[in-house]
């Protein structure tokens, strides 16, 4: 069975500060892992994904995530927050052979000036 | 290349009615998935269609159904609407070769009164 846990439904950081959004997963098979961002009244946009290979994955808008198998984690980071990063972020897991996506409950990121 | 389009963007219905939502995938994409997004349950997978066949299904009652046409466009139908069906319904498409990268549409906001 697959599941995703995102710690913290709301995270607030100051502009220029480090962004850290946490994601832990459980999966009975090797997973593919994703981070998506959703702006108000819009669909989801892929930030980055991990399938195989290098465990540190770089995505769009300066975000990156590291797959840690021993910790079953896939935390999202960005060194310096920008006001435009304010949005809701979703972590998702999919079995490697893809049947369906399992999404976390989401984390709303607030960026303070 | 145009993105995933969903129509209508907003819909208001009353209990007991039925509704049909439409999704046009990105040109060349043959897989279409549907998700329901609510504040309480988050993002939940409804079903996936590929080449006019339902390939995967989530845990939703039979009132929720879908289909896919030969041009890959997909429709989702909900019959006998309940108040709890109020949600944002998201459609996502992907290439057959890379099913794990999904591109989302802006969604249809359904309100059931």
């Amino acid at each position: 069975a697959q599941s995703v846990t995102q710690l913290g439904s709301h995270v607030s950081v100051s502009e220029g500060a480090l962004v850290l959004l946490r994601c832990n997963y459980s999966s009975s098979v090797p997973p593919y892992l994703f981070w998506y961002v959703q702006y108000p009244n819009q669909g989801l946009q892929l930030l980055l994904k991990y399938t195989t290979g290098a465990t540190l994955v770089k995505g769009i808008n300066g975000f990156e995530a590291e797959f840690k198998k021993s910790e079953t984690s896939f935390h999202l980071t960005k060194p310096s927050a920008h006001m435009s990063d304010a949005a809701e972020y979703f972590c998702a897991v999919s079995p490697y052979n893809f049947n369906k996506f399992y999404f976390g409950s989401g984390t709303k990121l607030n960026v303070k000036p | 290349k145009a993105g995933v389009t969903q129509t209508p963007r907003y819909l208001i219905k009353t209990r007991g009615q039925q509704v049909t939502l439409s999704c046009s995938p990105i040109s060349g994409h043959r897989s279409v998935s549907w998700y329901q997004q609510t504040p309480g349950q988050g993002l939940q997978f409804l079903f996936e269609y590929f080449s006019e066949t339902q390939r995967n299904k989530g845990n939703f009652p039979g009132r929720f159904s879908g289909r896919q046409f030969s041009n890959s466009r997909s429709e989702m139908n909900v019959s006998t609407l309940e108040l709890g069906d109020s949600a944002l319904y998201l459609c996502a498409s992907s290439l057959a070769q890379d099913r794990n990268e999904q591109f989302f549409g802006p969604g249809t906001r359904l309100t059931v009164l």
Side-chain angles (χ1 to χ4, degrees), chain A residues 37-45 47 61 84-89:
Chain A
V37 61
Q38 185 178 33
Y39 297 98
N41 298 315
Q42 294 187 27
L44 276 67
Q45 179 184 8
L47 277 176
N61 302 337
S84 62
D85 295 328
E88 189 160 18
Y89 293 80

Side-chain angles (χ1 to χ4, degrees), chain A residues 77-88:
Chain A
T77 61
K78 182 174 180 178
S80 177
H82 191 273
M83 295 297 292
S84 62
D85 295 328
E88 189 160 18

Side-chain angles (χ1 to χ4, degrees), chain A residues 32 34 36 38 41-44 46 49 90 94 96-101 103, chain B residues 9 35 37 43 45 48 56-58 88 90 98-102 104-106:
Chain A
Y32 285 4
F34 306 81
Y36 281 87
Q38 185 178 33
N41 298 315
Q42 294 187 27
L44 276 67
L46 180 67
K49 67 177 180 180
F90 293 90
S94 171
Y96 78 97
N97 60 346
F98 182 71
N99 288 318
K100 46 192 158 184
F101 276 38
F103 283 89
Chain B
R9 290 292 311 277
Y35 295 84
Q37 186 178 24
L43 275 156
F45 173 79
E48 184 219 359
N56 292 291
K57 189 177 188 304
L88 180 67
L90 293 165
D98 188 7
R99 295 182 293 170
N100 285 281
E101 181 149 4
Q102 296 197 324
F104 283 79

Side-chain angles (χ1 to χ4, degrees), chain B:
Chain B
K1 187 182 275 191
V4 178
T5 58
Q6 292 186 245
T7 56
R9 290 292 311 277
Y10 301 91
L11 205 50
I12 299 176
K13 291 286 187 179
T14 57
R15 280 183 300 174
Q17 288 187 308
Q18 75 165 21
V19 66
T20 299
L21 312 181
S22 180
C23 171
S24 293
I26 292 172
S27 178
H29 286 194
R30 295 169 63 192
S31 169
V32 174
S33 297
W34 288 89
Y35 295 84
Q36 182 195 64
Q37 186 178 24
T38 60
Q41 300 297 318
L43 275 156
Q44 293 185 287
F45 173 79
L46 280 156
F47 27 65
E48 184 219 359
Y49 285 86
F50 178 77
S51 292
E52 303 178 64
T53 301
Q54 187 180 87
R55 191 158 63 174
N56 292 291
K57 189 177 188 304
N59 297 322
F60 278 80
R63 300 185 297 107
F64 292 81
S65 63
R67 58 178 176 169
Q68 186 180 34
F69 301 94
S70 57
N71 62 358
S72 294
R73 188 177 71 85
S74 177
E75 288 182 347
M76 191 192 98
N77 185 275
V78 187
S79 62
T80 319
L81 284 166
E82 300 177 359
L83 296 179
D85 297 332
S86 294
L88 180 67
Y89 290 89
L90 293 165
C91 164
S93 74
S94 60
L95 288 167
Q97 303 96 306
D98 188 7
R99 295 182 293 170
N100 285 281
E101 181 149 4
Q102 296 197 324
F103 296 83
F104 283 79
T108 294
R109 173 76 62 185
L110 171 64
T111 301
V112 182
L113 302 176

Side-chain angles (χ1 to χ4, degrees), chain A residues 56-98:
Chain A
L56 182 62
V57 180
K58 295 187 184 299
I60 62 172
N61 302 337
F63 284 94
E64 62 182 36
E66 186 171 11
F67 170 57
K68 292 187 176 181
K69 185 177 180 180
S70 61
E71 299 176 10
T72 60
S73 69
F74 191 57
H75 302 330
L76 181 71
T77 61
K78 182 174 180 178
S80 177
H82 191 273
M83 295 297 292
S84 62
D85 295 328
E88 189 160 18
Y89 293 80
F90 293 90
C91 181
V93 62
S94 171
Y96 78 97
N97 60 346
F98 182 71

